[in-house]
Structures are given as C-alpha cells and as structure tokens.
Amino acid sequence: MMTATANVKTLKIDGRDFSAREDETILDVARENDIFIPRLCELEGLSTVGACRLCIVEVKGSNRLPASCVTRVEEGMEVTTTSERLQRYRKGIVELLFTERNHICSVCVSNGHCELQTMAQKLDITHIHYPYRFPQAPVDASHDRFVIDHNRCILCTRCVRVCEEIEGAHTWDVMGRGIDCQVITDLNQPWGSSDTCTGCGKCVQVCPTGALFEKGRSVAEMEKRRDFLPYLQLMRGEHE
Amino acid sequence: MTPEELEQIANDEREAQAGIPQKVKVCVAAGCLSCQSQAVKEALDKEVTRRGPVAHCKIKGVGCMGLCAEGPLVSTSDGTLYKRVAASDAVALLDGLEQGPVERLLCPTDVPFFQRQQKIVLENSGVIDPERIEEYIAASGYRALLHALTEMTPVEVIAEIVKSGLRGRGGAGYPTGLKWSTVSKAVGTQKYVICNADEGDPGAFMDRSVLESDPHRVLEGMLVAAYAVGASEGYIYVRAEYPLAIKRLKIAIRQAEKLGLLGSNICGTHFSFRVELRLGAGAFVCGEETALIASIEGKRGTPRPRPPYPAIEGLLGQPTLINNVETFANIPPIVRNGGDWYAAIGTEKSKGTKVFALAGRVQNTGLVEVPMGITLREMVFEIGGGIPEGRQFKAVQTGGPSGGCLPAECLDMPVDYESLARAGSIMGSGGMIVMDESSCMVDVAKYFMDFCMTESCGKCIPCRVGTYQMHRLLDTITKLHATPQDVALLEELCDLVKNTSLCGLGQSAPNPVLSTLRYFADEYKGHIERNRCVAGVCGKGTE
C-alpha cells in the first residue's frame, strides 16, 4: 500500500532505468515493466515466501543471488535478471523438481495448462539429468468436488497461503521435513472429512500444477481461473 | 539489590566456604552423569554422613571439568583430580584427604590438556555448584550487571563490547557489538533478547556444558544485553534433549528473580527484564535465527529470507537480539574487566577464547577452552594428546555439518574465523571431530549429507531435493558402484545448492563434500576407478 511517506528509488534492471517505491520488490518493478522473471511459488495477491528460488537475480557488487520476490529495491541497484549462470541454476532447480515426485504430463489433468511444464519449456529443458525418485505418493479424493494428487505437488505452498490469507480457513498446512514434506488438510485428515474446509476451491485455482484439481476433469482439461485474486485484493484494499 | 548487598552475599558465601576445610567436588554435568557420577556423589555423601562432624568435609556437585573421556571426575580443595571414580572408591577418597592422594585414581593436571587452556567462559565450570546462585555471586557473579546498571549507559556498554572484538560464537562470527548497536538503534515498541541454545551439531556440547555448569553466567549476559539494547523481554530457546540444562536454567531463573536480579525494576533501577524458556522440538534448522523466531512464535520452524534481519524485524516483527549461549557467557567478564582486556587475547580479527568439544580419535576427548589462534596441531596433538593406538592422523572436522574436513597439511593453520574459512571449513559453534586412517572421507561426507538431508526443513527446492540427490550420489560412491560422471554431477549439485538455497543450512550443506573433494580427491578416485576404499569402510557386503 502507498503510504504518505513512501520514498521513491531509482534502479537499473537489465540495463534499463526504473523508478520504484521503496516498499516494492525487484519482482514488483519487473512485473510492472513486463520483464519476465521465472517463479513458481510467488503469486500476485499472496504473501511471498522466497521458496522456489527461481526468481533469483544478480545484483552488482554482491556475490549472493537474492530472490527478487522478497528483495526490496535500493537506490542505485543494478539488477540482472537473465545470465548464463542464473539460467543454469534455474534449469537445475526445475530439473530437481521433476525428479522429486511423479510428473507425467501425458496423463495429467493440467497438461498444457501447467506452470511447471511451461517453466520447463521456457528454460529449454529437454531432458532431466538427475535420477528420478519415483516415490509412492498418495492421492486424496475424499472431498466431494476436489482431489489432491501428491504426485504432482511441488510444495509451492500457494494453497496453504491462499487458504489462510484470503479464505481465512487455514485448512492447508505442511507436515514433515525435507524430502518427506507434504501439504495436509487439517491435522493430516482426509480432505473430505475436514471441519475447516469451506469448499471454496481457491486452493485448486492457485495450484500451479495438476496436484489440486476439480473432479470430473480428464487429461489436459483442468484450466485454473485466478481472476478472483486481483479482484479480491482490489476490493479488500479499498475497504481497509 | 545494591552493589553493597551483592557484596554482602558474596562475603557471606565466602565465609561459609572458608569454614569448611575440605571440599570434594564431583562433576554432575551430562558427561560424567552418564558414567554414574551421581552414584559417586551419593556414596561420598553417605560416607561423610556416616563419619559425622569429624570428616570436616563437604561433598559438592559441580559442572564440567573438561576431560569427559576420563569421567566420572572428582576434585578436592588442594587441586587433586581423580578420574574414573566409582561409588566403591568413596571410602578411599575420603581417607585420602588425610593420608595423601589415592594413587590409582589420580589424573595428572600438569599436562597440556589442562595447562594450555585459558578459561573465561568456563572459569566457573567444575568449580561452583550450578544450582546455587550464592556460589556464582561469590565468584564475582552479577557484578558486571550491577556495574553496567549503576555506572554505565547502554551506549557505553555497547562501546565496551565493540572494543572487545567479540564475535558471535554460534557459527557465523558476526561482530557482537555491531549486532547490539543495530538492535539498540532499531525502532520498535518492544525489543527482545533471545539466547540461542539450540545446539545441534553432531558431537558438539559446548553450550550444553555452559548451561549445565554455570547457568547464571548466561542469564547475566542476557541481562547486560537487554540493558544495552533496551529490551524488557527475553527467551532462551533450548532444545528439549537437554533436560538437565533446562532444569538448571529454571532453578537459576527462579533464584535470580528471588534476589531481584531478574524481573521488574532490577536493583531499584528503571530496568526490567523477564526471561522465559522455550523448548525446541528437535529440529536442527531451528538454530537458524529466523526459523528459531518462527518456532518461538508458535509457527512451523522454517527460515525466511533475510533481510529484513531480526535486529530490525524479529520476534513478532520487533527488533530482536539473538546471540548464542557462549556469546552471552563471554559478556560478564568483558564488562567486568573491560573490552581491552578481552581484545588482548586471541588474534587480530578473532578475539578472545573459544570453547571446543574435542571428539573422535584423540586421547583426551572433552571440552576445552583455548585462545583463538592456537594451531590445529596443538589442539589435536598437545591438548588432545594425539591419536590413540598409534594410528595416523587423517583429518579434523570443524563446524559440524556446515563445516569441512581439514587434512594434515592444514594442521599448522591457526584456529580463527578467517583461516578456517579460507581452508574451506568454518569455525562453527565449536565441534571438532578428529579422524584417523580408519575413517573413509567419502563415508564421512555421506554421514554429514545424510544429516543435512534429514534436517532440511523442505521449504526451498535446492536444499530439499538437492541434499537428497547429493546423498544418493555419495551413497552410490560408497557402494563402489559410481562412475566419474557421478562425481561431476555431485560437483554441479554442490554449486547449485550452495548458491541458491534459502538459508544457511542449505548454503553450507555442500561444505563437507566440497572440502573432502578438495583435500581427499584420491579417495573419491579410489572408490570409482579402483572400486576400493582405502579405509576399508565402504563396499562391505555389496560385492
């Protein structure tokens, strides 16, 4: 939100000059100016967690690669969003995601509408050179209208955030550690028996992959509708 | 409480102590307790009671004396140290007070293990009863707090810490004075001081020992810090696996509150400070400051990107000072003796002393405190007493799962933050594991990678999946099935995970692999090209 005292900073992104409010992130400025920075966990309208690490950028004078979704602009900052090194890391990260669970596009409800698939195409990933894990991940179809297929989950936690921040239900959360992490409903009960789920379906619509989908959709039929997010954000912003 | 009243308590205690001609101190810290020192203490107590007033002797439970390998340890007022004492030795020990030391239990104290140490943090460990505040006060305890409260401004306290050159003892070595100054200047309605006692490196027990042996020292350090930065509430985040440390901290907090050294209007000033304990539920990553804060807030213990740093936006969004146990334990002597005194110890950039938990293949395993700048060779061969059974030194691992393995070529390197970092390891919290030729360095790297993999919180992809993949590759190598391609993949993953992970756990997880690849490349080669593990550790049962 714009505050009365917000200062304006100027910075360079990919050699071009921009101005930004001091409370904006590098990603905010890039998005505003149609500079594409890859990302999977960030979604406009939700809080940022800096977890997928795809939106890392290079900042002149620093060896670190900050995540642009959580890094505020600074005066005189010189940001590079694409370089051979960044692309190599981004490719590596997306490849790791593909090896983690069972992402089989040809039988996925989200085939053709999947952010992970699109990201792989954008990053020119033609093959995965790390070995696949092929875990036995569960599918929970106990809900009347929705299904969660953990085989396709990338743990971006958008469902967790939208449920807590927008719907206010906090049905979703994460359990476990490391490679064993899994999103859960309530205290790891079947989704269909959840007391807190309002059945709003926001989690399904923000899910970047086919992990969360509506029942009755077949291969490639699940298209996500996210118009509600900027709309809700706008409406709530006006009232608060 | 005024300085005069504090002095009165100290004098009373010293007089009471002087009235007892003989004191027998039994170590009741975790190391010795695990080899039945409690039974030794009870047997001694019983024998003293049986002998009645003629014994002129008091049995006292004290904190860690350092040489944990030889426990249970018992010391007497004249400085005699006994090792491997059993309950059945009680009669002989008490007779020995009159008739001269018991030869068969004697532990020599004129050896480098004791002589080369310089104790600041551990000055009271093994000397005072950790469950009695009077003994701490008699050993100059809380004098630094009263001095700071009555004669120094917060700015002066911070200036003294800056002058001391003290750096964070938790691992990263951030200048403590700078951190304090940042928190003191940060704007917030409420500020917090947090003591990080979530010590989790394998083989490390420095903080545990300090908390079990001298808990008031940590409280005093926190109180001085709170006064300096303007905080009125504090937390000690201690792992639940340390029940004795928790018990003694609780006793210490209660005692300090009773004397008005903790609570509202401390010592009649406007300064108030409350401390609460928070128990960690067994996650290594909660030692990372932002994850620790999340855990205190009751959330899932996962780190968040920094900046903003906790000094600006920490617990509940307020400016928060987080320091490690050992850092706080250094504060009272710095305030008592001045920053210049502390800065005179150590090297140019690493001041003071550091406590190390010496473990693995050395004669004298235990807890030691040495001035910064001592060489690794002195640590391993003089203080540690060398490698047992005439074996060869192979490597020393410093810094736990975030650190690295240093070979014999590095033995003459001084132990300070910069030198260790240059060599590809880190100071870390003070774990030091010595290995001989019976350890396979690939297997060691795999052990630490397994640790990082299971302790990864799972939030960011490089750490969550990258550590899994690196562990899998190391596992293939130790099964002698790997190809040169696997090492190339391993190196690539090290680079990826190091540079793209969200927090320190992921960023440093490749260090054990990178350092062993750098110094022990031949061993990797042997596993791959000759299907052979020189240490004979790997490949068993897979032929």
Side-chain angles (χ1 to χ4, degrees), chain A residues 40 49-54 56 63-65 67 70 72 74 85 88-90 92-94 96-97 99-100 129-133 153-155 173-181, chain B residues 281-284 300 303-309 313 453-462 464-466 468-469 472-473 485 489 492-493 495-497 499-503 507:
Chain A
L40 282 172
V49 287
C52 76
R53 316 307 293 169
L54 287 176
I56 48 171
N63 280 327
R64 292 177 169 260
L65 302 173
V70 288
R72 302 248 173 103
E74 275 166 40
R85 183 180 180 219
R88 191 176 70 224
Y89 286 152
R90 286 170 182 155
I93 292 168
V94 172
L96 286 178
L97 269 184
T99 68
E100 189 185 16
H129 67 296
Y130 304 113
Y132 288 93
R133 281 178 71 231
C153 175
I154 59 166
L155 293 169
D173 214 318
V174 182
M175 75 164 186
R177 260 190 221 177
I179 202 83
D180 298 321
C181 276
Chain B
F284 177 71
R300 186 175 155 83
R304 63 156 176 79
R306 300 175 302 177
Y309 289 91
E313 272 179 51
M453 177 180 77
T454 40
E455 292 298 341
S456 164
C457 75
K459 182 172 179 173
C460 78
I461 304 164
R464 182 177 77 226
V465 196
Y468 167 85
Q469 292 285 6
R472 199 200 57 83
L473 286 165
Q485 183 62 31
L489 267 188
E492 191 186 304
L493 278 168
D495 177 49
L496 177 73
V497 175
N499 287 299
T500 63
S501 290
L502 194 161
C503 83
Q507 288 160 9

Side-chain angles (χ1 to χ4, degrees), chain A residues 80-147:
Chain A
T80 308
T81 65
T82 315
S83 71
E84 185 274 323
R85 183 180 180 219
L86 288 171
Q87 291 302 91
R88 191 176 70 224
Y89 286 152
R90 286 170 182 155
K91 268 176 141 166
I93 292 168
V94 172
E95 279 191 44
L96 286 178
L97 269 184
F98 275 101
T99 68
E100 189 185 16
R101 305 230 175 151
N102 304 308
H103 297 281
I104 319 289
C105 300
S106 56
V107 294
C108 181
V109 285
S110 287
N111 190 8
H113 319 288
C114 169
E115 288 185 45
L116 179 63
Q117 190 182 34
T118 314
M119 189 60 66
Q121 288 160 351
K122 275 202 174 120
L123 292 172
D124 287 328
I125 294 176
T126 51
H127 64 287
I128 309 297
H129 67 296
Y130 304 113
Y132 288 93
R133 281 178 71 231
F134 298 123
Q136 296 273 327
V139 179
D140 179 358
S142 61
H143 195 276
D144 289 342
R145 292 159 51 214
F146 311 121
V147 181

Side-chain angles (χ1 to χ4, degrees), chain B residues 63-371:
Chain B
C64 185
M65 301 186 200
L67 194 54
C68 305
E70 303 282 8
L73 297 170
V74 174
S75 72
T76 62
S77 312
D78 59 0
T80 314
L81 185 66
Y82 293 113
K83 62 183 181 182
R84 297 181 190 265
V85 180
S88 54
D89 297 325
V91 177
L93 278 190
L94 289 178
D95 288 344
L97 292 178
E98 314 279 321
Q99 301 156 6
V102 187
E103 291 293 334
R104 68 186 164 87
L105 296 172
L106 266 188
C107 180
T109 52
D110 54 351
V111 292
F113 182 86
F114 294 103
Q115 300 298 324
R116 295 299 306 267
Q117 292 198 48
Q118 181 173 7
K119 297 197 173 187
I120 294 174
V121 168
L122 300 177
E123 61 183 348
N124 293 336
S125 295
V127 179
I128 65 164
D129 181 345
E131 299 187 9
R132 292 191 63 231
I133 192 171
E134 295 82 5
E135 292 204 18
Y136 179 66
I137 293 173
S140 304
Y142 288 108
R143 202 180 283 170
L145 172 69
L146 262 72
H147 178 66
L149 282 183
T150 54
E151 285 164 50
M152 295 168 89
T153 63
V155 177
E156 283 167 354
V157 175
I158 293 173
E160 212 56 50
I161 304 300
V162 171
K163 213 192 282 172
S164 76
L166 177 66
R167 293 170 67 173
R169 296 294 191 244
Y174 191 79
T176 306
L178 182 58
K179 204 183 230 182
W180 285 28
S181 147
T182 311
V183 178
S184 80
K185 286 181 180 165
V187 184
T189 48
Q190 165 80 55
K191 291 181 186 176
Y192 297 96
V193 169
I194 297 176
C195 172
N196 183 349
D198 192 52
E199 180 177 58
D201 289 1
F205 56 100
M206 299 74 56
D207 297 349
R208 171 185 204 151
S209 200
V210 171
L211 292 173
E212 288 176 355
S213 309
D214 200 5
H216 283 289
R217 163 179 298 265
V218 180
L219 285 183
E220 190 180 0
M222 287 181 74
L223 277 156
V224 173
Y227 172 68
V229 303
S232 60
E233 277 182 46
Y235 291 89
I236 302 176
Y237 190 88
V238 53
R239 62 195 303 219
E241 291 92 332
Y242 286 177
L244 188 62
I246 294 164
K247 180 188 149 208
R248 292 194 177 146
L249 271 173
K250 281 184 179 162
I251 294 173
I253 291 172
R254 211 175 320 124
Q255 290 171 341
E257 281 171 347
K258 218 168 166 184
L259 287 184
L261 292 163
L262 202 57
S264 301
N265 299 99
I266 295 168
C267 306
T269 64
H270 290 297
F271 173 60
S272 299
F273 188 63
R274 270 170 208 80
V275 172
E276 268 188 60
L277 290 189
R278 281 287 183 275
L279 305 194
F284 177 71
V285 74
C286 285
E288 199 279 345
E289 54 184 16
T290 57
L292 187 151
I293 287 172
S295 179
I296 291 181
E297 289 172 345
K299 297 177 189 153
R300 186 175 155 83
T302 54
R304 63 156 176 79
R306 300 175 302 177
Y309 289 91
I312 312 291
E313 272 179 51
L315 187 63
L316 304 170
Q318 300 296 331
T320 304
L321 174 75
I322 301 190
N323 276 142
N324 162 271
V325 171
E326 198 185 325
T327 314
F328 281 128
N330 269 305
I331 301 302
I334 291 176
V335 175
R336 263 197 327 259
N337 305 325
D340 289 329
W341 162 80
Y342 195 81
I345 307 163
T347 67
E348 194 199 336
K349 285 184 172 167
S350 304
K351 301 293 186 195
T353 59
K354 176 81 192 83
V355 182
F356 287 98
L358 204 51
R361 296 290 191 153
V362 276
Q363 296 279 6
N364 308 324
T365 55
L367 206 66
V368 296
E369 183 173 358
V370 291

